[in-house]
Amino acid sequence: MTTTGSPVSAPPTHQGGAAPRHRNAPPSREARRRERRSRWYQRDVKWSPYAFVAPFFVFFGAFSLFPLLYTGWASLHKVSLTAPTDMEWVGLRNFTRLFEDDFFWNSLGNTFTLGVISTVPQLMMALGLAHLLNYKLRGATFFRVAMLAPYATSVAAATLVFVMIFGRDYGMINWALGTVGIDPVDWHNDKWTAQFAISTIVIWRWTGYNTLIYLAAMQAVPKDLYESAALDGASRWQQFVHVTIPSLRPTILFTIVVSTIGATQLFGEPLLFNPGGGPNGGPDRQYQTLGLYLYEQGWTNLHLGRASAIAWVMFLLLVLIALVNWAISYWMKKSELGRKAARRRS
Amino acid sequence: MRKTRTTRRAVALAAVAVIGSGLLAGCASDDGTDSESGGDSDGKTVITVGLFGTFGFQEAGLYEEYEKLNPKVEIKQTVIERNENYYPQLLTRLSSNSGLADIQAIEVANIAEVVRTQADKFVDLGKADGVTKEDFLSWKWDQATTQDGKTIGLGTDIGPMAICYRKDYFEAAGLPTDREEVGKLWAGDWQKYIDAGKRFQEKGPDGVAWVDSAGGVYNAAISSSATRYYNEQGDVIYKTNPDVQKAWDVAAEAATEGMTAKLQQFTKPWENAINNGDFATVSCPAWMLGNLQSKGGEKAKDKWDIAQAPKAGNWGGSFLGVPEASKNKEEAIKFAAWLTAPTQQAKLFAERGSFPSAQASYDTPEVAEAKHEFFDDAPIGPIFSQAAKGIPTQVIGPKDQLIQENIVGTGLLQIEQKGVSPDDGWKAAVKAVDNALDE
Amino acid sequence: MSVLKSDPAPAGRTTAPGSGGDRPGPTPRGGGKLSRGRAGSAGGQHHGGRLTYAVLIVVTVIALFPLFWTAVAASRNNTRLAETPPPFWFGGNLFKNLETAWTDANMGLALLNTTIVAGSIAAGTVLFGTIAGFAFAKLRFRFRNLLLMLTIGTMMVPPQLSVVPLFMAIAELEWTNQLQAVILPTLVSAFGVFFMRQYLLEALPTELIEAARVDGASSLRVLWHVVFPAARPAMAVLGMLTFVMAWNDFFWPIIALNQQNPTVQVALTGLGRGYVPDQSVIMAGALLGTLPLLLVLTVFGKQIVGGIMQGAVKG
């Protein structure tokens, strides 16, 4: 699905290297210069990719590798936040105990349902909004910045506003329901209402974020693709489906990967939804996610070892999802090829 | 075209410049670490104070006063509003001996854990100059003292408990309204407080609950018993402790009988309910008064009054400690001792309503004659002094807060908000507590 | 105003990177053989209709409401905020609360610090993300796929826990309470690398790089004259997202810094410390912390413009 780059292996100055050489007629200064340039050029082509990716890996190695290794090491130990360097070896116990940990499975389930009901609508809406923003608009910059306003709003303000909206006794939604004669809903205490409410917060917060990502990609779609599609009589909708979407495929893939990771680590929104402010996700843990459970174990219960194990399980879970994804696309490609071959044969 | 190119270059240059300046700023602040090295350009000693919540030292003018008394000292404070953000930061910094303030506050809910696990990181304040053990309530002193007698924190405020009640609702329900009589109504037993609630439910105004939350009732009841979640040997005994059971039963009854407004304390809906007068009583440690006043506003003025709680108890309070890593230990110790001395504690009570842990201050006029205008001039000094003297010496343990939060936030809340039976609520609470305690 | 700026460049104008200006550069040759030209803000081919504006305005109102309400709350007082229904229009305390928040939270220094921090992190993420993303998208080198997988993999580890070991490292370096403690650990991001890679896969025609290479352009030249112009919209968006993230980051700064040298979020944690926490002052602080951010976003937002590549290959 991707066009992979093909660096040019034959630079124009290459012929310099093939300049005739005679032992007693030293190469002209020009030729030597060209040769030097050529060698330099080849080295440039060979090594510059490494130079380009190096800063990321250098900074990552300097500041993220140690925390990663520490977390991995801590997951095999009993260790408390009161003394983070004082570890007691427990082997895989922090992992095996998760099998019997009801709270873990509960949060895993919540993470999954919340992930689905918040990620799918969010990405669809973002795609639509990006398409609208990609029109010629008056005040385009204003709309773009406004899209990002939810992401920029401080958590303290968002918390207060959503408490006002979803409050049981004095919330705005229940007030509105009351005016049409519907009984108030206790948004926080029922599992599904709570998850619905949280997913609206997630959608509110992140749709604009993804919208801008799509918008950037749309800016790069070649105009003549639209022109030729229009010449073929394609409607705006058909252009969107047949020109915009295919051109956005790498970016859509990107948002799906990032949103999946984000959904697995979902943390801030359920935390701010809890009126008490705690990480337990309600009295019945009805909206505790893996991210919150990890936070509760690490920062409230101070069990760094257990929290680290949860973190690594979340990581492995994502790797698993990636592998399954890869396998599915592999098989689909293969069967498609098989079908094509079969068609050709017949 | 040229314009875009220039813009682009400008943007790139700006980017590089910003990265550079960021690094520079970082390096520059290397030189500017006056707060850490402890001196600034005037040759003054800077004492940093790390606090959470609303101590109010600065607002009460105590820093200014100390700076006047000690012209060579300058005080700077760092405040993190919520202890749940403050405490992990404190632990992280203690474990690395880095970035600590010269004086760090510790909440009573965390003091046992700090005493048990971080004692070697703090200075012994027990024998410091200007500190008199006898000035403090003995149980407060002991809470911050290790088994081998090292005192790592000096008490600031405590939370002696009373009951705040709405006189207008009491009158409507045919209950007494005078604070002495109201106190007698339930003196000695939390069960009597629930019984009074039943009377209130029958005759009281519609739509007004007896009490804000089951959790509030539980916190108040458990705060007045001598034992809670640990025994003297440091074992966890909450499952079998009759004191815990009693407090639980009282709170669970309030929940199942529908006496509560089903709120969680210190949340927005709870504030709305205070403002709308949705409940008639609330457990009132001294620091609670400010909440009722600021959320209730003018329309609630003189409607609230304060009576003694069924049993005297303590809910909340803090300590000040000096980390060994402090670069100004001598000055910090002196300042901590001064801040927690009876005179300053009395001033803080007069200005801010934080009730002193220094019992020597109870006879000063600032405390003995204190009245609260918002609460119909209730004599809060005598009321809370009396409560403070009756507070039992409690056995505390490192994970008290965790246990209590799970009992309230899981068990009682399930009963109250989800209609779970008390037995199932208790089971859910035990499950949550056990999970939280199991390292 | 911005309408003009986002206009695609007229088709005939040559804006080939490196060829249009007065300085010599690698001019793509034989571009005519390329089948597709790169258009300016390509989708901008249509004007938005009324329905478009209607939808966008509704979305904008929903997006901005909490921010608007922050300002309303900041103009009231603690008691009024506890009342029901809550206020929906401004009261008279705005300036008083802003002043309290400004002085209590050490806001001047906090804003300066946060600008440095978020600016550095955004610049670093965009710069390093673009060059690494370019390498992963368009250059061939050994271990490319492995390194890319590794990069994406680093995003999958939950960030909440790394705070503890990271603080140990920072303490070891004696960077506690100093800005580099929050800048350097997040100066690059896997998110940025991956984002730019995916964007450049489609947005940067390989033919353009080849053409520049044929002209003997060095890698840096290609980067400067081909990659950066093509990446501009994505760089702007990545800059916005990163800037906001760094501006609002709370979890790590509150561990690493204190209020003598705070970022905005660290400064705000100390707000509202009255007799009881004063919500209206807290909201005033939140407002002070958010408005400058929106100004910066406006600058970035204008940069989400295609069109640089217009005509580059049509020649």
Side-chain angles (χ1 to χ4, degrees), chain B residues 191-362:
Chain B
Q191 188 59 45
K192 288 191 194 164
Y193 171 71
I194 298 298
D195 296 340
K198 285 181 187 154
R199 277 170 65 190
F200 181 85
Q201 272 186 310
E202 277 163 31
K203 290 193 196 155
D206 282 344
V208 176
W210 172 241
V211 62
D212 61 340
S213 67
V217 174
Y218 177 83
N219 281 345
I222 197 69
S223 300
S224 60
S225 54
T227 60
R228 291 193 294 179
Y229 312 119
Y230 287 80
N231 64 14
E232 306 260 8
Q233 287 74 46
D235 308 315
V236 178
I237 53 155
Y238 78 98
K239 277 181 227 180
T240 50
N241 184 0
D243 279 351
V244 172
Q245 207 53 54
K246 235 188 207 160
W248 168 270
D249 288 342
V250 168
E253 185 173 351
T256 48
E257 293 289 321
M259 284 181 196
T260 71
K262 299 186 180 183
L263 297 160
Q264 274 176 282
Q265 292 188 316
F266 317 112
T267 62
K268 187 86 194 155
W270 179 75
E271 293 170 0
N272 292 148
I274 292 177
N275 192 276
N276 289 326
D278 288 348
F279 50 84
T281 66
V282 58
S283 317
C284 256
W287 45 262
M288 184 71 88
L289 304 182
N291 280 299
L292 295 180
Q293 178 175 10
S294 78
K295 307 300 174 193
E298 268 312 293
K299 63 183 176 184
K301 191 172 181 308
D302 295 340
K303 289 189 176 148
W304 287 100
D305 207 328
I306 309 165
Q308 289 295 342
K311 283 165 143 181
N314 177 65
W315 180 6
S318 301
F319 300 84
L320 296 181
V322 176
E324 284 286 354
S326 157
K327 302 226 167 66
N328 303 301
K329 265 187 256 178
E330 293 310 311
E331 287 294 330
I333 293 169
K334 255 166 61 189
F335 183 48
W338 183 83
L339 266 183
T340 52
T343 325
Q344 276 64 250
Q345 291 211 18
K347 255 179 222 161
L348 205 59
F349 177 63
E351 293 276 332
R352 315 285 307 164
S354 314
F355 197 80
S357 64
Q359 54 186 346
S361 69
Y362 297 168

Side-chain angles (χ1 to χ4, degrees), chain A residues 237-294:
Chain A
W237 172 249
Q238 283 167 327
Q239 289 178 30
F240 178 68
V241 173
H242 297 293
V243 178
T244 310
I245 302 268
S247 305
L248 253 54
R249 260 162 66 179
T251 300
I252 292 175
L253 178 74
F254 168 77
T255 54
I256 290 174
V257 170
V258 169
S259 299
T260 309
I261 294 174
T264 310
Q265 298 174 354
L266 186 67
F267 166 73
E269 287 79 7
L271 186 66
L272 73 82
F273 179 68
N274 191 342
N280 68 355
D284 205 13
R285 293 170 190 260
Q286 61 268 31
Y287 51 90
Q288 185 174 47
T289 58
L290 281 174
L292 279 186
Y293 189 47
L294 156 73

Side-chain angles (χ1 to χ4, degrees), chain B residues 1 4-5 8-9 12 15 18-19 22-23 26 29-30 33 36 48 53-54 58-59 76-81 85 89 92-93 96 98-99 268 271-272 275-276 290-291 294-297 352-353 372, chain C residues 13 15 18 21-23 78-79 81-84 116 119-120 123-124 167-168 171 176-180 183-184 224 229 232 250 254-260 269-271 273-277 279 308:
Chain B
M1 166 59 215
T4 37
R5 171 107 61 84
R8 209 189 326 135
R9 195 170 307 149
V18 169
I19 294 184
L23 297 178
S29 64
D30 271 335
T33 50
E36 291 205 25
T48 53
T54 55
Q58 186 172 46
E59 288 81 353
K76 284 185 177 170
Q77 71 171 9
T78 280
V79 186
I80 295 177
E81 218 269 294
N85 292 328
Q89 191 221 36
T92 321
R93 291 186 163 208
S96 301
S98 170
K268 187 86 194 155
E271 293 170 0
N272 292 148
N275 192 276
N276 289 326
N291 280 299
S294 78
K295 307 300 174 193
R352 315 285 307 164
H372 203 303
Chain C
R13 222 157 91 193
T15 54
D22 43 6
R23 52 201 292 270
N78 212 7
T79 306
L81 291 184
E83 284 172 19
T84 48
I116 294 171
S120 309
F167 187 80
M168 295 180 191
T176 318
N177 298 339
Q178 294 171 31
L179 292 189
Q180 69 263 41
I183 295 174
L184 293 181
W224 189 253
R232 184 170 157 186
F250 163 79
I254 202 179
I255 301 280
L257 300 178
N258 70 4
Q259 280 158 7
Q260 260 79 61
T269 56
L271 258 193
R273 46 162 198 268
Y275 195 10
V276 294
Q279 298 282 6
I308 310 296

